[in-house]
Amino acid sequence: MNDTRLAPVLDRIDAELPAALDRLMELLRIQSISTDPAFKAECDKAAEWLASDLASIGFNAAKRATPGHPMVVGHGEGTGPHVLFYGHYDVQPVDPLSEWNTAPFEPVLQDTPEHGQVIRGRGTSDDKGQLMTFVEACRAWKAVHGSLPARISFFFEGEEESGSPSLIPFMKENAEELKADIALICDTGMVAPGVPSIASQLRGMLKDEFTIVGPRIDLHSGHYGGPGLNPLKEISRIVASFHDKTGRVAVEGFYEGVHEISDEMKRQWENCGFDEKTYLESVGYTRPHGETGYSTLEQQWARPTLEVNGLWGGYNGAGSKTVIPSKAHCKITCRLVGDMDPNALRKKVRAHVAAQLSPDAKVVWDSDLEGSPAAVMNTERPEFEAARGALTDEWNREAVLIGMGGSIPIAGFFKDVLGMDAMLIGFANEDDAIHSPNEKYNVESFHKGIRSWARILAALSE
Amino acid sequence: MNDTRLAPVLDRIDAELPAALDRLMELLRIQSISTDPAFKAECDKAAEWLASDLASIGFNAAKRATPGHPMVVGHGEGTGPHVLFYGHYDVQPVDPLSEWNTAPFEPVLQDTPEHGQVIRGRGTSDDKGQLMTFVEACRAWKAVHGSLPARISFFFEGEEESGSPSLIPFMKENAEELKADIALICDTGMVAPGVPSIASQLRGMLKDEFTIVGPRIDLHSGHYGGPGLNPLKEISRIVASFHDKTGRVAVEGFYEGVHEISDEMKRQWENCGFDEKTYLESVGYTRPHGETGYSTLEQQWARPTLEVNGLWGGYNGAGSKTVIPSKAHCKITCRLVGDMDPNALRKKVRAHVAAQLSPDAKVVWDSDLEGSPAAVMNTERPEFEAARGALTDEWNREAVLIGMGGSIPIAGFFKDVLGMDAMLIGFANEDDAIHSPNEKYNVESFHKGIRSWARILAALSE
């Protein structure tokens, strides 16, 4: 890359870093917890702050009402390719407050031995610090050149941490306004510290919940122990039947639509800088526990799962209770890859459970819940190659296409509702403690994140 | 039996029934819930009432302090065989109160289509109504003959529903005073309505609890689903491994000390009036679910069990949480028969669990909990034959020796601490709803129960 427009923008970003951090601190002080109605006014205030900040850079930006927390939409006046940048200004609750070493909404800069300077506070990494990297990149371009290198629109949401109830209706109502050439999303992380990463595939998700009903009422385990069917034993047998001894899911037809990843992708993942040892040891594992024959990264990014997230029944208080409970409960989630169809999968899982049932046992399923297929980004688009080059230049490390074990539905929504591809680039680190006490964002992520976006905008508009 | 002393006593019991019911009602109105400290004074009041009632019949009776609720001990002046009668005056809590159709501590007489007149209220069957059958039998004997037909002592406990913490220390401290030729216990039921029953074998009990620890902290099931060891799957596999496909416990050495019951006992049980169909269908079963090859009664009375009473881990609130929890928990109880040794059994169960563990999974056991072996009554004693004859005369139905699936430790304590055999005779019915809302005791059980004890006392003193 040899874009003479870029150097002064990067210089400006470096010089402006203290001011950019001050602006981020202002946004971080707003307690925009979206799940808790007590913070409704704070959410509104964060939206107001963002609309006003975008306006100060010359965007035609406004807070937009929804039945829940407001969206913020802003449009720039540039020409060239049209990109829509997405981020969310709401944050997770802060409890347990006692485990924070600083006040969650009084962000501070701290020097650390491992990461250099970090910004500590709720929302630093998820997602206020990340979304401001893009805003600051625009601000620097505008300040240096008087205009932006592309046609840029912003779309900020305030309900990402509370299920995004207003998102799809709002996107549908404002489809023409929001549609661009591509969506840029800054809400993901890097596969390893210092390794610029573009998320090219995200697993989908299927949620379900079932109850096993045995006897009509709770029974005394003395009077009925022996002849009595125990739903806790029944549900354990069913859960145990979900996997075979190799860790493969034993539900018939479960792997329909799953594709083996290409050798090229395998090679990239093997060299992406992922630190398997740290990933496993940091949580107490000496080895991966998924399907035999697949690497840890493949198990996490490229293989589907059937996971149990909750299991309960009977007595769980202090001491003992001699009960055979009437009911036992199980919450499951499946992670989907490739072309797995969530609705078809739900039927297969339910059929598997039905086939395991003992006589006199019944299963009751929760009313149907949403499922979303896996999302595979369209990495053939030229924007991906442009972004890889820009990121490689900034980080002095080849940018990699990574998978993600989690599910970020927004990319799928852009595709389904607006017919628009998305590119997910983020600068968070695994140890940022998002959703947890003492959340932080490395100043390096913030600073080089802003510079990365400046470079990407240059590359996209070449 | 042809005891001229008996007829006037039975006549007196019939004539006195309304007064006896009034006395029982007084005792039932005392809210002697032993687990709840708020009812401490009520427990004391119930003990006081009993001591005073025994004194009114001529017993040298007194409330006796313990670190918990008081005992009541009383001694009569009769001669002949010395019997110690045991009962408990404390009752279970009443929640859920909303499911009661009458106030639990305002006992009432109700006419019912199935059972004739019943006494409705907390403690009617467990155990105030039952213990008063013996007290009233004594009262009638004393009123008619001026003296009792045997040397009778009373021993009432007020902590039976809360783990009997004071029982063994009190028995040890007062061993000489409490020791008699035999203990009589009225806290059991009849195998079928109208079938007088003597409990000749009770299963023992072993309690234990374990936690499976997987990852060091709760994990995100997107980021770790696949490579992550899930303690919920682990504990399900372990629980499922406790039994084989025939319902037999698969723990190595579990059946050591278990004896097959004799053909004579089998024959008695087959003809004891147990209504298998009602027993199973009343709780929603179409068949017994225990070990293949054993009848429902054998499964309940003569075979050991390993039962899961509680199982929990992960998220159990509304909606979904994408978590792989760090821990999963399980509470178990085993019922013991024959010569099974609770301490040896605990080791076997723990070894079984240890052998199932995946790498990286750990098991943590609760600190050792009490276990009690099975109790087999000494039915060769002449008192059993005498009681069978008396019960057969009263109920016009051959009295039967039954087993019990539950565990009543008091019989074992009398043997272990005082070296004294016990005989358990009770008049409760399966549908008395003990420990549940709307507890009742059939007036027939109360009336014929009193008459039964009057006859038994006559038979014992012949």
Side-chain angles (χ1 to χ4, degrees):
Chain A
M1 172 127 6
N2 194 358
D3 189 331
T4 54
R5 299 174 300 171
L6 191 55
V9 175
L10 297 178
D11 288 344
R12 168 93 190 177
I13 289 168
D14 295 346
E16 273 278 299
L17 181 61
L21 283 167
D22 284 347
R23 284 186 286 269
L24 173 57
M25 297 290 195
E26 273 187 33
L27 178 58
L28 289 169
R29 284 188 201 102
I30 304 173
Q31 306 184 26
S32 48
I33 300 168
S34 59
T35 53
D36 186 341
F39 294 89
K40 188 168 172 50
E42 290 285 293
C43 289
D44 195 79
K45 192 171 158 190
E48 190 68 50
W49 189 95
L50 281 168
S52 159
D53 192 54
L54 290 181
S56 77
I57 314 174
F59 285 86
N60 179 12
K63 206 175 63 181
R64 304 274 283 268
T66 76
H69 302 301
M71 308 285 177
V72 175
V73 180
H75 301 290
E77 289 184 341
T79 54
H82 186 192
V83 303
L84 177 74
F85 180 83
Y86 166 91
H88 64 91
Y89 66 77
D90 61 323
V91 300
Q92 280 273 317
V94 298
D95 56 283
L97 190 56
S98 60
E99 291 186 21
W100 283 81
N101 298 320
T102 60
F105 292 108
E106 294 171 21
V108 290
L109 289 172
Q110 295 180 327
D111 287 310
T112 70
E114 325 89 293
H115 308 295
Q117 213 169 27
V118 305
I119 321 160
R120 184 83 60 184
R122 173 56 87 228
T124 49
S125 178
D126 183 18
D127 182 44
K128 289 172 175 172
Q130 298 236 72
L131 73 84
M132 285 303 287
T133 59
F134 194 88
V135 175
E136 294 296 344
C138 292
R139 193 187 326 268
W141 266 101
K142 188 73 184 289
V144 171
H145 297 294
S147 67
L148 293 164
R151 189 173 152 214
I152 295 171
S153 294
F154 281 91
F155 180 32
F156 293 131
E157 181 190 4
E159 298 178 333
E160 201 270 348
E161 305 292 3
S162 51
S164 297
S166 309
L167 184 64
I168 289 179
F170 186 87
M171 285 169 75
K172 285 185 173 163
E173 278 164 32
N174 300 279
E176 280 314 303
E177 182 185 353
L178 294 172
K179 198 161 159 29
D181 297 322
I182 193 167
L184 302 179
I185 301 173
C186 190
D187 196 17
T188 52
M190 299 190 290
V191 67
V195 181
S197 311
I198 304 175
S200 68
Q201 54 183 65
L202 309 170
R203 293 196 290 191
M205 167 96 98
L206 176 69
K207 301 176 182 180
D208 219 334
E209 181 174 340
F210 63 96
T211 296
I212 299 294
V213 185
R216 198 171 49 78
I217 51 172
D218 285 4
L219 301 179
H220 190 289
S221 68
H223 300 163
Y224 275 92
L229 174 81
N230 186 331
L232 297 175
K233 298 197 297 202
E234 187 79 0
I235 210 164
S236 296
R237 201 171 43 72
I238 290 168
V239 169
S241 78
F242 282 148
H243 295 82
D244 69 18
K245 286 180 180 177
T246 69
R248 194 175 161 87
V249 178
V251 171
E252 196 180 330
F254 189 83
Y255 289 89
E256 261 169 49
V258 178
H259 313 302
E260 298 293 324
I261 60 164
S262 67
D263 289 343
E264 164 57 17
M265 188 68 91
K266 260 191 207 173
R267 194 197 56 75
Q268 278 197 37
W269 288 0
E270 277 162 16
N271 295 292
C272 72
F274 170 71
D275 183 351
E276 180 185 22
K277 196 170 143 72
T278 300
Y279 170 84
L280 294 173
E281 286 184 359
S282 67
V283 300
Y285 296 146
T286 59
R287 69 198 74 191
H289 294 274
E291 281 174 272
T292 308
Y294 293 91
S295 73
T296 300
L297 265 194
E298 287 175 273
Q299 290 176 12
Q300 184 192 350
W301 292 350
R303 301 298 298 172
T305 65
L306 192 171
E307 209 59 74
V308 182
N309 306 115
L311 185 67
W312 73 101
Y315 180 69
N316 66 15
S320 171
K321 184 175 179 184
T322 52
V323 65
I324 295 176
S326 171
K327 292 174 183 171
H329 311 269
C330 183
K331 284 180 193 279
I332 60 173
T333 49
C334 296
R335 298 284 170 168
L336 280 56
V337 301
D339 297 313
M340 292 172 83
D341 173 354
N343 291 318
L345 194 68
R346 186 189 306 281
K347 291 198 186 85
K348 290 171 196 165
V349 171
R350 293 186 173 192
H352 176 90
V353 171
Q356 312 302 315
L357 286 179
S358 297
D360 293 345
K362 288 175 285 294
V363 60
V364 180
W365 289 93
D366 202 7
S367 53
D368 276 22
L369 296 157
E370 290 288 323
S372 61
V376 180
M377 302 302 124
N378 184 0
T379 57
E380 302 299 309
R381 289 185 64 117
E383 291 91 340
F384 281 79
E385 196 46 43
R388 284 187 72 175
L391 287 167
T392 300
D393 287 346
E394 174 59 27
W395 293 81
N396 286 316
R397 172 78 165 80
E398 194 192 354
V400 290
L401 294 176
I402 62 171
M404 282 190 55
S407 309
I408 301 188
I410 182 75
F413 297 157
F414 281 137
K415 186 74 189 173
D416 295 346
V417 181
L418 303 178
M420 176 168 56
D421 285 325
M423 185 159 65
L424 295 110
I425 298 171
F427 310 99
N429 280 281
E430 185 67 34
D431 64 357
D432 278 354
I434 66 168
H435 294 207
S436 296
N438 305 310
E439 182 178 350
K440 61 93 176 160
Y441 196 47
N442 296 355
V443 170
E444 181 193 52
S445 290
F446 186 62
H447 184 190
K448 291 174 83 67
I450 301 170
R451 290 173 53 100
S452 295
W453 285 121
R455 289 181 188 271
I456 291 167
L457 287 174
L460 291 179
S461 63
E462 263 182 348
Chain B
M1 173 127 5
N2 194 1
D3 188 330
T4 54
R5 299 174 302 171
L6 191 56
V9 176
L10 297 179
D11 288 347
R12 169 92 190 181
I13 289 168
D14 295 347
E16 273 277 299
L17 181 62
L21 282 167
D22 284 346
R23 283 185 288 268
L24 173 58
M25 298 289 196
E26 273 187 34
L27 178 57
L28 289 168
R29 282 187 203 103
I30 304 173
Q31 306 183 26
S32 48
I33 300 169
S34 60
T35 53
D36 187 340
F39 294 90
K40 188 167 173 50
E42 290 286 291
C43 289
D44 195 79
K45 192 171 159 191
E48 190 69 50
W49 189 94
L50 281 168
S52 158
D53 193 52
L54 290 181
S56 78
I57 313 174
F59 284 85
N60 177 13
K63 205 173 67 179
R64 304 274 283 268
T66 76
H69 302 302
M71 308 285 177
V72 175
V73 179
H75 302 290
E77 291 184 340
T79 56
H82 184 192
V83 302
L84 177 75
F85 180 83
Y86 166 89
H88 64 90
Y89 65 78
D90 62 321
V91 300
Q92 280 274 317
V94 297
D95 54 284
L97 190 57
S98 59
E99 291 185 22
W100 284 80
N101 298 322
T102 60
F105 292 107
E106 295 172 20
V108 289
L109 289 171
Q110 295 180 327
D111 288 309
T112 69
E114 323 89 296
H115 307 294
Q117 211 168 29
V118 305
I119 319 161
R120 183 84 59 184
R122 173 56 86 228
T124 49
S125 177
D126 182 18
D127 182 43
K128 289 172 175 171
Q130 298 236 70
L131 73 84
M132 286 303 288
T133 58
F134 194 88
V135 175
E136 294 295 344
C138 292
R139 194 189 322 271
W141 265 101
K142 188 74 184 289
V144 171
H145 297 293
S147 66
L148 293 164
R151 189 174 150 212
I152 295 172
S153 293
F154 279 92
F155 180 31
F156 292 132
E157 183 191 5
E159 298 177 334
E160 201 270 348
E161 303 293 5
S162 53
S164 299
S166 308
L167 184 63
I168 290 180
F170 187 86
M171 285 169 77
K172 285 184 174 167
E173 279 164 31
N174 301 278
E176 280 315 302
E177 181 183 354
L178 293 172
K179 197 160 162 29
D181 297 322
I182 193 167
L184 303 179
I185 301 173
C186 191
D187 196 18
T188 53
M190 299 191 290
V191 66
V195 180
S197 310
I198 303 175
S200 67
Q201 55 182 64
L202 309 169
R203 293 196 291 191
M205 166 97 97
L206 175 68
K207 301 177 181 179
D208 220 333
E209 181 172 341
F210 62 96
T211 296
I212 299 295
V213 184
R216 199 170 49 79
I217 51 172
D218 286 4
L219 301 178
H220 189 288
S221 68
H223 299 164
Y224 275 92
L229 174 82
N230 186 332
L232 297 175
K233 298 198 296 202
E234 188 77 1
I235 210 164
S236 296
R237 201 171 43 71
I238 290 169
V239 169
S241 78
F242 283 148
H243 295 82
D244 70 16
K245 286 182 179 175
T246 68
R248 194 175 162 87
V249 178
V251 171
E252 196 181 328
F254 190 84
Y255 289 91
E256 261 170 50
V258 177
H259 313 300
E260 299 292 324
I261 60 165
S262 67
D263 288 346
E264 164 56 18
M265 187 68 92
K266 259 190 207 173
R267 194 197 56 75
Q268 276 198 39
W269 288 0
E270 277 162 15
N271 294 293
C272 73
F274 171 71
D275 183 350
E276 179 185 23
K277 196 171 144 71
T278 299
Y279 171 85
L280 294 172
E281 286 185 358
S282 66
V283 299
Y285 297 145
T286 61
R287 68 196 76 192
H289 293 274
E291 282 173 89
T292 308
Y294 294 92
S295 73
T296 300
L297 264 196
E298 286 175 274
Q299 290 177 11
Q300 184 193 349
W301 291 351
R303 300 297 299 173
T305 65
L306 193 171
E307 208 59 75
V308 182
N309 307 115
L311 185 67
W312 72 102
Y315 180 68
N316 66 14
S320 172
K321 183 175 180 184
T322 53
V323 66
I324 295 177
S326 171
K327 293 175 184 169
H329 311 268
C330 183
K331 282 180 194 278
I332 60 172
T333 49
C334 296
R335 297 284 170 169
L336 279 57
V337 302
D339 297 313
M340 293 172 83
D341 172 354
N343 291 318
L345 195 69
R346 186 188 307 280
K347 291 197 187 86
K348 291 171 195 167
V349 171
R350 291 184 176 194
H352 177 90
V353 170
Q356 313 300 316
L357 286 179
S358 295
D360 293 345
K362 286 174 286 294
V363 62
V364 180
W365 289 92
D366 202 6
S367 53
D368 278 23
L369 296 157
E370 291 286 322
S372 61
V376 179
M377 303 301 125
N378 184 359
T379 56
E380 300 299 307
R381 289 184 63 117
E383 291 92 341
F384 280 79
E385 196 47 43
R388 285 186 72 174
L391 288 166
T392 301
D393 287 348
E394 172 61 28
W395 294 82
N396 285 317
R397 171 78 165 80
E398 196 192 352
V400 289
L401 293 178
I402 62 170
M404 282 191 55
S407 309
I408 301 189
I410 183 72
F413 296 156
F414 281 138
K415 187 74 189 175
D416 295 345
V417 180
L418 304 178
M420 176 168 57
D421 286 324
M423 184 160 66
L424 294 111
I425 298 171
F427 310 99
N429 280 281
E430 186 65 36
D431 65 357
D432 278 354
I434 68 168
H435 294 207
S436 296
N438 304 312
E439 182 179 348
K440 60 94 175 158
Y441 195 47
N442 296 356
V443 170
E444 181 194 50
S445 289
F446 186 62
H447 184 190
K448 291 173 82 68
I450 301 170
R451 291 173 52 103
S452 295
W453 286 120
R455 288 180 188 271
I456 291 168
L457 288 175
L460 290 179
S461 62
E462 263 182 346

